[in-house]
């Protein structure tokens, strides 16, 4: 069965939606390095939400690109884990915070494996992701720009705060690219 490609955009056929309805501000004019990084991070977070919008639990949990274990719901859970890991465990120094979704060295794919077609699992994943995004944004709001070069510990490695923020942008950019393909395979919807 071939899925028909489509978009809700009428102005630019390669976009997800028309510019007047797009909540992202990719071309906003932030001032300073912190605001620029934060703006890109917000942009990709919103894009993740847009790529999942309008799908039911079965569609969100569908592994639409076999043999990959990825699903849109798995990505939401994974990115909640990423937010928690970098912002709470590394940047805030709360290394003892239990990892989300039972993720461990023995079960490294727990965030994807537990992404099942259950509305309660979907609701919990979004609530967890939003909670972690809110916590990260609160931390970023309080971060003075001059502290971007300060280092934090990740295990025994010292990493500049700036590098963590760049990594977060990269992490979202990569996974939003995955979300593009996953969504197109589910219902044919395309667009940036």
């Amino acid at each position: 069965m071939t899925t028909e490609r489509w978009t809700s955009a009428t102005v630019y056929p390669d976009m997800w939606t028309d510019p007047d309805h797009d909540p992202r501000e990719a071309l906003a004019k932030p001032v300073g390095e912190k605001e620029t990084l934060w703006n890109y991070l917000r942009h990709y977070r919103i894009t993740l939400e847009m790529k999942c919008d309008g799908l039911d639990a079965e569609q969100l949990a569908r592994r639409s690109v076999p043999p990959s274990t990825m699903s849109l719901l798995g990505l939401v859970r994974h990115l909640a884990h990423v937010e928690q890991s970098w912002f709470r465990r590394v940047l805030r120094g709360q290394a003892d915070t239990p990892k989300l979704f039972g993720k461990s060295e023995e079960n490294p794919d727990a965030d994807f494996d537990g992404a099942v077609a259950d509305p309660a699992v979907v609701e919990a994943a979004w609530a967890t992701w939003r909670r972690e995004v809110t916590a990260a944004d609160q931390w970023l709001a309080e971060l003075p720009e001059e502290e971007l070069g300060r280092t934090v510990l990740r295990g025994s490695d010292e990493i500049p705060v700036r590098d963590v923020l760049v990594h977060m942008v990269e992490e979202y950019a990569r996974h939003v690219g995955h979300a593009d393909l996953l969504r197109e395979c589910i219902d044919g919807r395309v667009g940036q």
Side-chain angles (χ1 to χ4, degrees), residues 48-94:
L48 175 69
E49 290 181 288
M50 292 170 71
K51 293 294 177 176
C52 296
D53 187 50
L55 299 177
D56 63 25
E58 185 281 322
Q59 290 169 312
L60 287 168
R62 189 181 305 165
R63 294 175 176 187
S64 59
V65 187
S68 174
T69 61
M70 280 191 192
S71 66
L72 290 169
L73 179 57
L75 286 176
V76 172
R77 289 164 52 97
H78 174 70
L79 289 166
H81 164 76
V82 168
E83 293 271 357
Q84 182 214 49
S85 182
W86 286 105
F87 282 100
R88 286 189 196 271
R89 296 171 57 85
V90 175
L91 291 173
R92 288 187 170 178
Q94 300 170 355

Side-chain angles (χ1 to χ4, degrees), residues 31-36 142-149 162:
V31 177
E33 184 180 6
K34 180 182 98 166
E35 286 300 317
T36 299
E142 297 169 5
L143 177 71
E145 176 122 7
E146 58 271 10
E147 288 198 23
L148 288 172
R162 169 185 297 106

Side-chain angles (χ1 to χ4, degrees), residues 29-48:
K29 296 183 176 127
V31 177
E33 184 180 6
K34 180 182 98 166
E35 286 300 317
T36 299
L37 292 168
W38 197 1
N39 189 59
Y40 274 98
L41 186 55
R42 283 190 294 256
H43 172 86
Y44 286 124
R45 288 169 172 164
I46 293 168
T47 303
L48 175 69

Side-chain angles (χ1 to χ4, degrees), residues 154-186:
R154 180 177 185 232
S156 61
D157 297 327
E158 289 191 17
I159 305 169
V161 170
R162 169 185 297 106
D163 287 10
V164 173
L165 297 179
V166 169
H167 173 70
M168 289 300 297
V169 170
E170 179 268 338
E171 183 88 18
Y172 269 92
R174 180 177 63 249
H175 288 312
V176 166
H178 295 136
D180 283 338
L181 182 58
L182 292 166
R183 178 64 189 254
E184 186 174 349
C185 290
I186 291 168

Side-chain angles (χ1 to χ4, degrees), residues 112-162:
F112 288 100
D113 293 342
V116 296
D118 178 340
V121 172
V122 172
E123 185 178 327
W126 281 115
T128 302
W129 180 78
R130 287 187 177 101
R131 181 189 72 226
E132 294 305 325
V133 166
T134 298
D137 283 347
Q138 288 170 344
W139 184 86
L140 274 167
E142 297 169 5
L143 177 71
E145 176 122 7
E146 58 271 10
E147 288 198 23
L148 288 172
R150 177 175 57 87
T151 59
V152 292
L153 285 177
R154 180 177 185 232
S156 61
D157 297 327
E158 289 191 17
I159 305 169
V161 170
R162 169 185 297 106

